[in-house]
Amino acid sequence: MKFTFIPINFESFELNNQTYIQVYGRNEKGKRLCILKQFNDWCYIIKDIEKAKKKLDTIKIQEESKNFLGKPVKALKVYTSSSKQTKEIAEKFEVYENDINIITKFLIENKLTPLTLWEIEGELASNNECSNLEVDFVIKAEKITQSQSDIQFHPKFLAYDIETNEFEIGKGEILMISLVGNNFKKVLTWKKQSKKSFVEYFKDEAEMLEAFVKYIKEYSPDFLVGYFSDGFDLPYLRARAEHNKVKLSLGLDNSAPIFSRGRVLSGKIKGITHVDLFRFIQVAYSQYLQSETLSLNEVANELIGEKKNDISHIDMNKTEHTQKHWEDFFEYNLQDSVLTYKLFEKVWPDILEFSRVLQEPPYDVSRDSMSQNVENYILHNLHKFNEIAKHKASHEEISNRIEREKYEGAFVFQPKPGLYNDIAMFDFSSMYASVIVSYNLSLSTLSKEKTNIISEINNKKVYFSKKPGFFPELLKQIIEKRREFKKEYNKNPNPILKARSNAFKLIANAAYGYQGFFGARYYCLEAAASTAYFARENIKSAIKKFEQSNFQPIYSDTDSIAVSLDNKSKKQALDLLKQINEHLPGIMELELEDFYKRGIWVTKRTGEFGAKKKYALITEDNKLKIRGFETVRRDWCNLAREVQSKILKLILTDGNEKKALEYIKETIKKIKERKIELSELVIRTQLKKSIDEYKANTPHIAIARKMIAKNIPINLGMLIQYYIAESDNKKALVRDRAKMIDESGKYDINYYLNNQILPAVENIFEVFNVDINQLIEGKKQMKLGEF
DNA sequence: GACTTGGAGGTACC
DNA sequence: ACTGGTACCTCCAAGTC
């Protein structure tokens, strides 16, 4: 019989020394299928293959002509019936590709891509063979092939969120659980009855947990989606289920979630893809988000324009709540799932396309790091080059790589402080990726012989062969595909094409970091260092060309160049750009980023030189682009950030400092008169490691300690909030004056003037030879008075 | 005791 | 441990005069 379906979820298991792959998915009619396929694992041997041939006892061995790191090798492909058998062979021989995930291998071997249509030949399993699986059909597959046709796929997904009375897993109880799907909204609780139709009341926590399982089974989602659910919701549910002796049988075989330990926990449910949206957003989105934290509230606000409900009026520590409080709490809990649901809808095209482009299951794609994504892309495409995959690095190799010296990175131009008019900004498109491709930089092309691709690392020459290596070739294809899909998207804008082009772009951008990453299979320090080297050479030579044509360079960082147009036309600049491009090597390309009406560069706070990585620009239609300034730094108080951004805007709009000066005078007055709201003065600093690992005793550590003393939960990665208050002790350090935001106190006028406002604006006014210090009757004068 | 210096720490740029 | 290097800036503590 023949079947077609969309594969979503993958499992492997071993039975009687045979590996089986289980693929869960849906057919066009929405029926849920489980495909069962026997799978023979494999590994390669390339050393002493004749000897190995004699000693090996396995199901199938074949001799193959392969490549390893670009060089031809005779290899034995050794098929085994199970991963266990592969492991036994790996103990006796030096083998390759035994360290690739079994599901990845299954997909590679059969040239299959998740979340695309598959064609299956096989038989329906009888009832007693699959009575424990909650799917419509189980199919024992003989043959699986990738279908040539494409169908629209809309998965069923369900968002969930829990509320507890203790943050620490296992300590408290789950008060309520919300579930949101398509036309489906529920809050389950055992705490309080409610008149709200979506709230369902149970007599205790155990019954609520049972109902949670029941509702998920009834809804039958392909994806169960949470936000921070790998680290919180799912483990908490497991802990409470255990405590209440309830079986959390969420899996389609009624198994409980399984947690795998990596850097962080990952929660896996058999047959259903559990997605922790936080993790995907962290990897694929955070770089492009404005949000200062990746909290559900901020991310949802930025991506879908909706916020969490505000329940700050409820005192969580109070044991008795009014009915109104509970009702608000239910709404709040529901809203979190609503946001998660909508966020998944928004992000789904990206997960889908990541999965298709990387050819990895959505469960993995939603959790893998960018370096893992690059590596998966390589592994799935190595067959195009007939390559055997290199080993993962051993612990020893990794520690050696970590200890190695750093190499020289990007070139940053030393700007001359000042206000500039009429600026053209150029940048190299995907610079590092295009350097890798154009100069053929990779592990397999690193050459011991002298060639004419020569870079320099610490005064030592390094050579790369001219014969295209698989890594640069793959990257070239990635860049080409990116361009192709971007073009297609511009012709026919839709979220899928956008996501596809974006997926290729992200992989291309991570390729350079991958070769310099100590955990990479294809780690190559020389390639990474040479990429930076050739990038420096090219940007410096481009800067020189602008200079020679009388375009004064203002600034440059890594892959961008800002020049002053002076009296020259935009056309002249674009003509020069064209000329520069004609002489660039390979696929390298310099593009116009934009023209700007004005821009400002300032000095460093110490020294008279221009500060790098700090500038502000304004476009012809008055849009600001602010880089590096305190305005964009979350560890400065809002007041300083807002004042600075306002001042930059006034100066860049008008071209002079007059209005800005008025504005700063007003602000200083307000601070002195204590007219500033405390919320504007709060400083937020992240706790980057556990509290006792800190050597330095900084304000945010002092506050974190204070919080611990007051039993306020602290966790890694959280933002510690505080303000600086006045103190009687004139010599008190900043950390001694730091107070939690709900601690009573008067804000320290001098601190906010001298340590927040002044540093944020001083250098900007310095460009106009205005000394802002004179406006502030600062510490110095006060101290003179004391003597 | 005032001032300088360097490390720790955090966050941004690309 | 889960891409890379470059850069700015604050706060604190130790050292210098």
Side-chain angles (χ1 to χ4, degrees):
Chain A
M1 281 165 71
K2 286 194 177 182
F3 309 85
T4 53
F5 90 129
I6 300 274
I8 306 167
N9 199 281
F10 299 76
E11 296 284 342
S12 73
F13 66 90
E14 298 201 358
L15 185 70
N16 302 328
N17 290 322
Q18 173 64 53
T19 295
Y20 292 87
I21 305 291
Q22 246 173 339
V23 188
Y24 296 87
R26 291 211 189 251
N27 67 13
E28 290 102 316
K29 288 177 184 150
K31 293 285 182 202
R32 196 166 217 165
L33 270 59
C34 174
I35 312 295
L36 205 60
K37 176 94 168 68
Q38 189 178 321
F39 178 64
N40 291 329
D41 192 16
W42 78 79
C43 60
Y44 279 102
I45 296 179
I46 55 181
K47 225 190 201 166
D48 296 331
I49 60 172
E50 289 307 320
K51 246 195 241 166
K53 242 199 278 186
K54 282 175 205 155
K55 285 191 194 165
L56 278 166
D57 176 28
T58 178
I59 54 168
K60 189 176 156 196
I61 303 172
Q62 64 193 40
E63 229 167 291
E64 292 182 2
S65 294
K66 300 285 289 184
N67 294 319
F68 186 68
L69 292 175
K71 293 198 176 63
V73 289
K74 275 260 171 280
L76 279 188
K77 187 168 187 179
V78 182
Y79 285 94
T80 65
S81 58
S82 69
S83 312
K84 203 179 129 210
Q85 198 185 5
T86 315
K87 210 180 251 172
E88 285 164 12
I89 294 171
E91 279 164 15
K92 290 179 200 147
F93 303 89
E94 190 184 335
V95 303
Y96 291 83
E97 302 200 348
N98 61 318
D99 56 2
I100 300 175
N101 177 291
I102 192 80
I103 286 157
T104 300
K105 276 175 147 174
F106 166 76
L107 293 166
I108 292 172
E109 181 85 343
N110 296 293
K111 298 194 173 57
L112 295 167
T113 303
L115 300 177
T116 59
L117 198 64
W118 287 8
E119 284 163 10
I120 316 297
E121 281 174 39
E123 296 305 320
L124 282 176
S126 60
N127 267 344
N128 56 3
E129 281 176 295
C130 55
S131 54
N132 58 340
L133 279 186
E134 290 169 341
V135 294
D136 297 302
F137 306 108
V138 177
I139 297 157
K140 291 198 281 186
E142 290 298 323
K143 201 174 158 199
I144 304 181
T145 46
Q146 185 79 45
S147 169
Q148 293 309 305
S149 43
D150 192 14
I151 60 160
Q152 287 259 332
F153 173 54
H154 302 288
K156 271 176 105 174
F157 58 97
L158 188 62
Y160 76 113
D161 180 64
I162 65 168
E163 302 300 333
T164 66
N165 55 6
E166 283 282 345
F167 186 76
E168 207 176 312
I169 291 165
K171 269 204 171 170
E173 301 159 325
I174 298 174
L175 308 178
M176 58 190 85
I177 308 170
S178 59
L179 288 168
V180 169
N182 187 16
N183 290 318
F184 185 85
K185 282 183 181 178
K186 286 258 179 243
V187 169
L188 317 176
T189 187
W190 55 288
K191 278 295 174 183
K192 199 80 185 173
Q193 304 257 13
S194 166
K195 287 201 180 88
K196 292 185 190 292
S197 58
F198 60 80
V199 178
E200 211 168 310
Y201 178 79
F202 299 91
K203 83 171 199 305
D204 55 25
E205 196 183 14
E207 280 197 6
M208 175 187 71
L209 291 169
E210 276 164 7
F212 170 69
V213 175
K214 187 194 84 179
Y215 276 123
I216 289 177
K217 289 201 181 297
E218 278 175 19
Y219 191 86
S220 182
D222 300 307
F223 291 89
L224 184 65
V225 189
Y227 200 89
F228 216 77
S229 51
D230 269 346
F232 186 71
D233 302 66
L234 203 57
Y236 215 117
L237 281 159
R238 173 177 67 166
R240 292 315 291 171
E242 255 168 45
H243 181 269
N244 283 292
K245 304 204 164 52
V246 171
K247 189 160 186 227
L248 208 60
S249 50
L250 294 170
L252 297 186
D253 60 350
N254 285 313
S255 62
I258 292 168
F259 291 86
S260 58
R261 280 213 170 267
R263 192 169 58 90
V264 280
L265 281 181
S266 299
K268 196 166 200 174
I269 300 168
K270 206 157 268 184
I272 298 174
T273 299
H274 176 233
V275 172
D276 180 351
L277 265 186
F278 167 77
R279 294 185 65 177
F280 184 68
I281 283 170
Q282 194 174 36
V283 169
Y285 274 79
S286 61
Q287 193 181 349
Y288 303 95
L289 291 178
Q290 298 292 304
S291 305
E292 280 166 18
T293 69
L294 292 184
S295 66
L296 176 58
N297 196 32
E298 269 196 89
V299 172
N301 193 24
E302 184 170 347
L303 290 177
I304 56 177
E306 281 188 48
K307 287 187 169 187
K308 286 170 78 132
N309 288 350
D310 183 11
I311 51 160
S312 55
H313 59 284
I314 305 176
D315 180 359
M316 290 298 185
N317 293 324
K318 238 164 81 180
T319 41
E320 287 301 309
H321 293 301
T322 61
Q323 185 71 32
K324 168 84 171 66
H325 281 174
W326 279 110
E327 300 290 11
D328 289 349
F329 208 2
F330 296 144
E331 291 277 3
Y332 173 86
N333 181 217
L334 185 73
Q335 174 69 0
D336 273 11
S337 284
V338 168
L339 292 180
T340 305
Y341 182 87
K342 290 185 177 173
L343 211 50
F344 186 79
E345 252 178 345
K346 170 90 183 175
V347 166
W348 166 246
D350 288 294
I351 295 179
L352 176 68
E353 288 306 318
F354 257 63
S355 195
R356 288 173 173 174
V357 169
L358 300 167
Q359 295 172 264
E360 282 285 300
Y363 175 86
D364 302 272
V365 149
S366 66
R367 286 174 177 77
D368 284 342
S369 66
M370 224 46 221
S371 65
Q372 189 66 57
N373 286 335
V374 173
E375 193 148 292
N376 282 332
Y377 189 90
I378 296 170
L379 290 177
H380 280 281
N381 288 283
L382 275 182
H383 64 90
K384 293 178 187 164
F385 303 89
N386 200 28
E387 271 275 330
I388 294 174
K390 193 176 178 294
H391 284 133
K392 271 190 198 163
S394 67
H395 289 296
E396 197 192 336
E397 274 173 296
I398 287 181
S399 44
N400 289 339
R401 290 174 183 182
I402 290 173
E403 278 165 33
R404 62 133 175 98
E405 254 179 75
K406 278 194 177 187
Y407 59 85
E408 188 181 343
F411 168 72
V412 188
F413 187 92
Q414 174 83 62
K416 215 171 102 195
L419 185 74
Y420 297 84
N421 293 319
D422 299 322
I423 296 164
M425 183 79 103
F426 303 92
D427 58 21
F428 282 92
S429 43
S430 300
M431 190 188 213
Y432 280 13
S434 71
V435 167
I436 293 171
V437 174
S438 304
Y439 292 88
N440 204 28
L441 309 175
S442 71
L443 181 62
S444 75
T445 50
L446 181 62
S447 167
K448 282 181 188 144
E449 277 117 63
K450 291 188 180 177
T451 68
N452 55 2
I453 303 176
I454 311 165
S455 90
E456 225 176 88
I457 308 170
N458 296 330
N459 298 321
K460 255 184 78 185
K461 286 194 164 51
V462 175
Y463 304 91
F464 292 89
S465 75
K466 273 183 101 173
K467 191 178 157 237
F470 66 86
F471 189 97
E473 275 295 297
L474 264 181
L475 191 52
K476 189 177 168 189
Q477 291 169 15
I478 291 169
I479 294 169
E480 277 163 4
K481 281 183 178 162
R482 202 263 154 150
R483 283 185 187 153
E484 181 190 319
F485 290 119
K486 198 178 170 185
K487 227 192 229 167
E488 214 177 303
Y489 170 76
N490 287 334
K491 261 190 268 166
N492 169 27
N494 73 59
I496 297 290
L497 280 175
K498 189 177 184 177
R500 192 171 303 165
S501 129
N502 189 47
F504 282 112
K505 175 182 154 190
L506 291 183
I507 301 164
N509 286 344
Y512 156 71
Y514 172 81
Q515 295 204 100
F517 166 53
F518 53 79
R521 281 175 199 258
Y522 294 102
Y523 172 81
C524 184
L525 178 71
E526 293 87 346
S530 302
T531 307
Y533 170 84
F534 288 120
R536 286 195 303 272
E537 295 288 298
N538 275 288
I539 196 123
K540 283 181 191 166
S541 110
I543 292 170
K544 206 175 261 170
K545 283 180 182 159
F546 278 110
E547 225 167 1
Q548 284 163 351
S549 301
N550 289 318
F551 286 92
Q552 183 205 348
I554 300 169
Y555 185 62
S556 164
D557 184 348
T558 312
D559 61 353
S560 68
I561 302 172
V563 301
S564 170
L565 287 177
D566 288 325
N567 296 317
K568 291 177 285 301
S569 68
K570 289 177 182 175
K571 188 181 173 296
Q572 279 173 296
L574 293 174
D575 286 346
L576 179 56
L577 173 68
K578 207 174 158 197
Q579 201 186 312
I580 290 173
N581 270 318
E582 278 164 16
H583 293 94
L584 286 176
I587 64 163
M588 291 190 72
E589 194 183 359
L590 189 65
E591 286 180 317
L592 174 75
E593 194 261 341
D594 212 347
F595 289 111
Y596 295 91
K597 186 163 72 177
R598 236 170 246 120
I600 189 169
W601 276 260
V602 301
T603 56
K604 292 209 286 180
R605 271 187 67 67
T606 51
E608 69 241 73
F609 293 109
K612 297 172 176 180
K613 299 191 186 284
K614 269 182 106 166
Y615 59 90
L617 299 164
I618 193 163
T619 60
E620 279 147 6
D621 47 359
N622 290 325
K623 281 206 188 88
L624 281 185
K625 178 173 171 174
I626 300 179
R627 292 291 119 99
F629 273 111
E630 284 74 4
T631 298
V632 297
R633 295 185 59 93
R634 71 168 180 200
D635 55 348
W636 283 71
C637 74
N638 280 344
L639 178 72
R641 300 172 64 181
E642 278 158 20
V643 167
Q644 188 189 55
S645 117
K646 187 82 190 271
I647 278 168
L648 286 171
K649 178 151 200 184
L650 288 171
I651 286 174
L652 290 173
T653 309
D654 296 352
N656 66 59
E657 80 289 7
K658 277 201 183 123
K659 281 187 191 160
L661 209 47
E662 286 310 306
Y663 181 74
I664 193 69
K665 281 181 193 163
E666 268 170 51
T667 307
I668 291 168
K669 190 159 167 259
K670 272 195 207 159
I671 296 172
K672 287 184 175 170
E673 289 171 356
R674 295 197 177 283
K675 284 184 177 158
I676 307 289
E677 294 268 344
L678 191 61
S679 63
E680 289 292 289
L681 301 175
V682 173
I683 297 166
R684 296 174 191 84
T685 316
Q686 195 183 22
L687 206 57
K688 307 265 288 184
K689 47 191 181 186
S690 67
I691 196 94
D692 33 63
E693 281 178 72
Y694 280 94
K695 287 180 198 160
N697 197 358
T698 57
H700 82 293
I701 302 305
I703 293 296
R705 293 220 168 92
K706 217 186 251 187
M707 289 168 78
I708 292 171
K710 294 202 173 188
N711 267 328
I712 301 168
I714 293 280
N715 56 301
L716 225 130
M718 84 185 281
L719 287 185
I720 303 293
Q721 305 194 84
Y722 59 92
Y723 72 101
I724 306 303
E726 269 186 346
S727 155
D728 297 334
N729 179 3
K730 295 287 173 205
K731 275 185 278 180
L733 295 168
V734 177
R735 68 158 178 258
D736 298 326
R737 287 178 283 156
K739 285 191 169 178
M740 300 189 297
I741 45 174
D742 52 2
E743 250 181 301
S744 66
K746 282 180 163 176
Y747 69 77
D748 185 335
I749 294 172
N750 281 330
Y751 177 83
Y752 283 98
L753 286 176
N754 291 306
N755 297 44
Q756 291 279 329
I757 298 302
L758 184 77
V761 301
E762 186 178 25
N763 300 337
I764 300 172
F765 283 107
E766 204 187 274
V767 167
F768 303 92
N769 291 317
V770 174
D771 184 2
I772 206 77
N773 279 285
Q774 291 174 356
L775 297 177
I776 301 174
E777 287 163 37
K779 257 194 295 200
K780 297 235 161 87
Q781 285 93 326
M782 304 266 287
K783 273 181 189 156
L784 283 176
E786 282 167 24
F787 289 107

